[in-house]
Amino acid sequence: MIENTTRLLPTLVYIQTNLAENLSLEAVAQQADMSPFHFHRLFHNSIGETLKQYTMRLRLERAAYELRLREDSILDIALNCGFQSHETFTRAFRRHFERTPRQFRKGNGNRAHLADDSEHGRLLNHMTQTYHLSKVSIQQRTPIQVAFLRHIGDYVNVDMSVYDKLVDWAQTNGAYTGRNLIIGVGHDSPDITPVEKLRFDACLEVFEQIRPFSPIGYQIIPGGTFGIADYTGPFGPTMYQAYIDIFTQLAQQKNIEIIGLPVIEIYHTTKINPDYALNHVEICVPVKKVVS
């Protein structure tokens, strides 16, 4: 992560859960208990974007993702992502993606990361390991409180040793029971978000609210309705193919609308071992039941 970013983790969590709300400099600085001037300087120096640039990018990326998956009107998607009008949204979207929302939806967006000549495509073409994926089932999940460490960058480069750091922290602070769920949360689509800006949270379940202590943050992973499948296999490129299979299964289900993000991975183990070939992971994709 960029230096000092961890100091802003509570604010980043607030932003990601309130994208449709007022995220002006004054409002977010007040939430962070800082003056607008000092907050602006800290945020820009730490994140590499101004608050306005950061929130605009997240809103546009969420909108692009929803345009790909949902049949809602463009106006409804714009409003859901924090834009005040169709015109404002269309201008901002075109500047960012170099096409209108309608063109993006019609062309199914920029799918370069899924093409055979993409980095992921090359990895898939050279895979020798296999995996097993169960049939997707629709289930309800309750919210989960977690301590977390954030990774910024390509998902395939997540250093799984961060989970050891979380467990060490929990043991030192009396938060480890041996029953804590070990979780990964992917907030962005690699088909839409630049790879260097992808957000992944390595999480350890906690059973009461904790005070964020750099570099460890606190958040509540939202509950709700999920399409859930059990994956058994190695970490890495095969999981990318498993996600394609899961989304394909969900797209074929009636009365289900894919929300898609954030994706939650629950690791059924007491220790993450990236070299182990038979990892058991419960992959949870947010969905919504639709009444026909």
Side-chain angles (χ1 to χ4, degrees):
M1 298 180 66
I2 299 173
E3 186 178 0
N4 293 328
T5 301
T6 51
R7 181 179 173 186
L8 288 168
L9 278 178
T11 302
L12 298 179
V13 170
Y14 176 80
I15 291 170
Q16 74 192 27
T17 55
N18 291 279
L19 278 180
E21 307 302 325
N22 174 22
L23 294 176
S24 66
L25 175 60
E26 292 74 17
V28 178
Q30 182 179 27
Q31 193 277 335
D33 196 24
M34 298 176 66
S35 72
F37 173 80
H38 286 97
F39 178 82
H40 170 78
R41 187 167 61 178
L42 174 64
F43 194 94
H44 186 248
N45 289 342
S46 301
I47 305 301
E49 298 172 278
T50 66
L51 175 67
K52 183 177 181 179
Q53 291 169 335
Y54 182 79
T55 55
M56 177 65 75
R57 178 173 61 80
L58 292 190
R59 284 169 167 164
L60 289 169
E61 289 171 354
R62 173 183 284 186
Y65 195 73
E66 292 191 6
L67 284 167
R68 174 175 295 174
L69 292 177
R70 303 177 64 179
E71 297 181 358
D72 293 16
S73 71
I74 291 175
L75 177 59
D76 285 344
I77 288 175
L79 296 175
N80 185 54
C81 294
F83 293 91
Q84 301 304 308
S85 71
H86 184 286
E87 292 74 17
T88 301
F89 170 61
T90 299
R91 284 197 301 270
F93 194 95
R94 187 165 194 166
R95 281 197 302 269
H96 190 80
F97 290 104
E98 299 182 344
R99 70 195 77 183
T100 66
R102 190 177 304 279
Q103 290 169 335
F104 186 93
R105 169 177 271 176
K106 185 177 180 180
N108 201 23
N110 177 10
R111 302 187 63 81
H113 290 280
L114 293 180
D116 289 340
D117 60 351
S118 70
E119 179 180 358
H120 289 289
R122 288 194 298 272
L123 288 169
L124 289 172
N125 289 337
H126 289 86
M127 284 192 310
T128 57
Q129 296 171 305
T130 59
Y131 66 93
H132 176 266
L133 187 71
S134 72
K135 183 178 179 180
V136 175
S137 62
I138 306 302
Q139 302 178 32
Q140 293 293 125
R141 281 205 165 274
T142 58
I144 306 172
Q145 298 182 92
V146 296
F148 74 98
L149 288 165
R150 175 157 291 185
H151 165 88
I152 302 292
D154 198 331
Y155 290 148
V156 301
N157 292 333
V158 174
D159 180 1
M160 300 306 250
S161 69
V162 296
Y163 287 99
D164 294 332
K165 297 176 183 177
L166 282 169
V167 170
D168 289 344
W169 167 86
Q171 290 174 333
T172 301
N173 290 275
Y176 188 73
T177 67
R179 297 180 293 106
N180 311 63
L181 292 176
I182 299 175
I183 302 169
V185 180
H187 293 281
D188 305 298
S189 168
D191 305 339
I192 294 172
T193 300
V195 67
E196 69 275 8
K197 295 184 182 295
L198 293 171
R199 297 167 297 158
F200 178 88
D201 291 339
C203 307
L204 182 71
E205 182 184 21
V206 294
F207 302 102
E208 59 184 27
Q209 184 172 352
I210 65 168
R211 181 185 297 274
F213 182 78
S214 181
I216 293 173
Y218 167 85
Q219 64 178 303
I220 300 176
I221 298 174
T225 307
F226 293 85
I228 297 178
D230 285 323
Y231 166 91
T232 305
F235 294 124
T238 52
M239 291 192 75
Y240 182 78
Q241 181 60 50
Y243 273 104
I244 294 175
D245 294 345
I246 290 170
F247 275 81
T248 300
Q249 288 189 51
L250 286 172
Q252 294 170 349
Q253 294 207 24
K254 296 181 179 179
N255 302 324
I256 289 295
E257 182 178 277
I258 303 172
I259 297 174
L261 291 172
V263 168
I264 301 167
E265 298 175 351
I266 300 176
Y267 309 114
H268 290 277
T269 181
T270 56
K271 183 177 177 63
I272 299 292
N273 184 351
D275 297 322
Y276 190 44
L278 293 175
N279 300 286
H280 177 199
V281 183
E282 195 174 354
I283 299 176
C284 309
V285 177
V287 299
K288 181 172 71 174
K289 291 184 178 180
V290 178
V291 179
S292 57

